[in-house]
Amino acid sequence: RRLNVRVNIELLSISNPVHKKDLAVRLTDDTDPFFLYNLVISEEDFQSLKSQQGLLVDFSAFPQKFIDLLQQCIQEQNKDIPRFLLQLVSSAPALDHTPVSLNVVETNPFKHLTHLSLKFLPGTDAEIKKFLANCLKCFKEDKMMLEEKLKKTEEDLSRQLSYTQQSLAEKSRELDKLKNEWTSYTTALSNKHSQELTSEKERALQAQTQYQQQHEQQKKELENLHQKSIQQLQNRLSELEVINKDLTERRYKGDSTVRELKAKLSGLEDECQRAKQEVLSLRRENTTLDAECHEKEKLINQLQTRVAVLEQEIKDKDQLVTRTKEVLDATQEQKVILEENTEEKQKHIEKLETTIKSLSAELLKANEIIKKLQGDLKTLMSKLKLKNTVTIQQEKLLAEKEEKLQKEQKESQEMGQSLRMKEQEVCKLQEQLESTIQKLEESKQLLKTNENVITWLNRQLSEVQMAKKLDTPAAHAAGRAAGSPFGMPDRPSFHSSGISHPISPLYAFQNFLEPTQSKNGNSQCPVQLNSQLSKLSRCSDAHTVPAAGHAANKENGDQLGLESKYFKKKDDSIPLRGLSQNTLNSEYLRPCLLPKAQPSPKAAGTPASAYFPG
């Protein structure tokens, strides 16, 4: 059966001994005073009810949500198939003081969903009596209020009646007066109107004759104008037909152009979609390139530090040859370490690339999860009216995700800009690296030339020492006079320096070139060899003979080859004790073997052996 039930909901606050809040719900029927069911829910009872029925609302928001459900039931009660129903179910066949459950049910074609189920207890005799007493008290108060209102309305109505009767009498008197005045006024007006009508009829007949004459004249004029306008309109029609034909042809042409443009538009849209896909792929590549760029920056910084160390080593290598060898060994060791470091870095890069690939796969999975969540959201939108709190939380989550997406888009744009900047920096650093590599190669070439000079000097020294051991000074002089085809003089000795062995063959070679220079004026290579060998002879521990040096300067003019500052004696330089007689062989007179030495700007303060060509 169907009943109209009154539901009263009250929040009871109890302060003794502990401050508590209870929710009291009462079911009553206005037609049946003995129909009374009560339910009192405390906060503890609500927690158990929440866990049993899976509610998502707190105790403070539960009354309002319950009222909202009841209002939806009230809105749907007059429909043939209501969506929301209130069911009062009892275990007994009739409502005979047995516990009852009140269910809020939502009906759909598939299932009846119970959103809330509350168990009510029937009211006891004392509760029914108390309820009836309260109802009686309310009815009596309403009765007293109605009686007072009745008395007030009766008094007001009696006053209004007396006032209206008085006003009616006055109005009736005024009506009689007005009737008399109206009759007199109507008679006078009828007489006036009859006279005016006769005069107006005469005027109208005169005006009618005049208007007829004017009308005939205007009719003739209008007929003439009408014929002229018809001729003009016919001419205009012929012109418009010609214009219409032109316009139809233009329209057909415009339609064809519109079709072509639509085809082009579809092609451009396809290209736009492809471009968007390419942009997405480029964004993914940007992330990988950022990691690679960061690693390359680290490598470049390390290489720059290594290059600075190598430049310092190159400056230090201009000192002693022994130190240059040690520095060479150190640089080779550092090269090996650098190669090992680069291999380790490449391995690290490969690991990072694998991690980036895994992260991209996880991002794709996250996108699929987001799509699934969006589908779930669409299904949950139908239940928004019942689950307002859940939808609010989901809207917050969606807003946060949208903000995160916007932030990620901004970060991707910023990363693209930073990538461009870093690419420019990488280009600059590569140029610097190339310049440093060129410098390194130049330093290596210098080191090779230095090693060649050192080996050559060592050979010369060993040959001199062997010559000392084998030959005595007298036999050496006799053999030299006999073996020299040019008849070279003996080598003088330097007693002032305390050297007992004879002078180096360089001196004899210098004196040998003096008479032959006048014959070979155009050959430049022997002069260069003479000047270079004379300068090398000055770098020995013994003092040079001033007469020979002046003679060479006078005959040769300005000396070619290395400057004198490169052959000054240094404390850490290797002394030249003399060269063997093999320097007089013809192979040293060839132009290709001893070219003119070009001094380097870094050569100030370095020994002569460091810049002598091999």
Side-chain angles (χ1 to χ4, degrees), residues 84-99:
F84 288 93
L85 292 172
L86 266 179
Q87 286 184 352
L88 193 70
V89 182
S90 66
S91 58
L95 297 171
D96 296 332
H97 299 287
T98 55

Side-chain angles (χ1 to χ4, degrees), residues 357-370:
K357 287 178 182 176
S358 63
L359 284 170
S360 63
E362 288 176 359
L363 278 170
L364 290 169
K365 289 178 182 177
N367 287 325
E368 290 175 358
I369 291 161
I370 288 162

Side-chain angles (χ1 to χ4, degrees), residues 11-135:
L11 265 174
L12 304 174
S13 59
I14 301 164
S15 59
N16 290 323
V18 182
H19 184 72
K20 289 182 179 180
K21 282 187 179 181
D22 294 336
L23 181 69
V25 185
R26 187 172 62 199
L27 295 176
T28 57
D29 189 2
D30 294 338
T31 58
D32 187 3
F34 294 101
F35 184 83
L36 179 66
Y37 288 94
N38 294 318
L39 173 65
V40 179
I41 301 170
S42 63
E43 292 183 1
E44 296 173 355
D45 297 335
F46 178 75
Q47 293 299 326
S48 63
L49 187 129
K50 184 179 179 181
S51 63
Q52 285 173 5
Q53 299 188 12
L55 300 176
L56 302 171
V57 186
D58 295 331
F59 181 73
S60 59
F62 175 70
Q64 187 60 42
K65 296 296 176 185
F66 184 46
I67 290 163
D68 293 336
L69 287 171
L70 292 173
Q71 286 177 354
Q72 286 180 355
C73 293
I74 291 163
Q75 289 174 2
E76 298 282 334
Q77 68 182 353
N78 294 321
K79 293 181 180 179
D80 294 332
I81 301 169
R83 188 180 172 188
F84 288 93
L85 292 172
L86 266 179
Q87 286 184 352
L88 193 70
V89 182
S90 66
S91 58
L95 297 171
D96 296 332
H97 299 287
T98 55
V100 169
S101 63
L102 183 72
N103 299 327
V104 180
V105 181
E106 182 184 359
T107 62
N108 56 25
F110 181 69
K111 189 180 179 182
H112 291 282
L113 297 170
T114 57
H115 289 290
L116 187 65
S117 179
L118 300 173
K119 287 185 180 180
F120 286 83
L121 295 172
T124 59
D125 292 336
E127 288 175 349
I128 291 167
K129 286 176 183 177
K130 189 177 179 181
F131 171 68
L132 289 171
N134 287 325
C135 290

Side-chain angles (χ1 to χ4, degrees), residues 336-352:
V336 173
I337 292 162
L338 277 170
E339 287 174 355
E340 291 175 356
N341 287 327
T342 50
E343 289 176 356
E344 290 176 358
K345 293 286 170 67
Q346 285 176 356
K347 290 177 182 177
H348 187 63
I349 287 162
E350 289 174 356
K351 288 179 182 178
L352 286 172

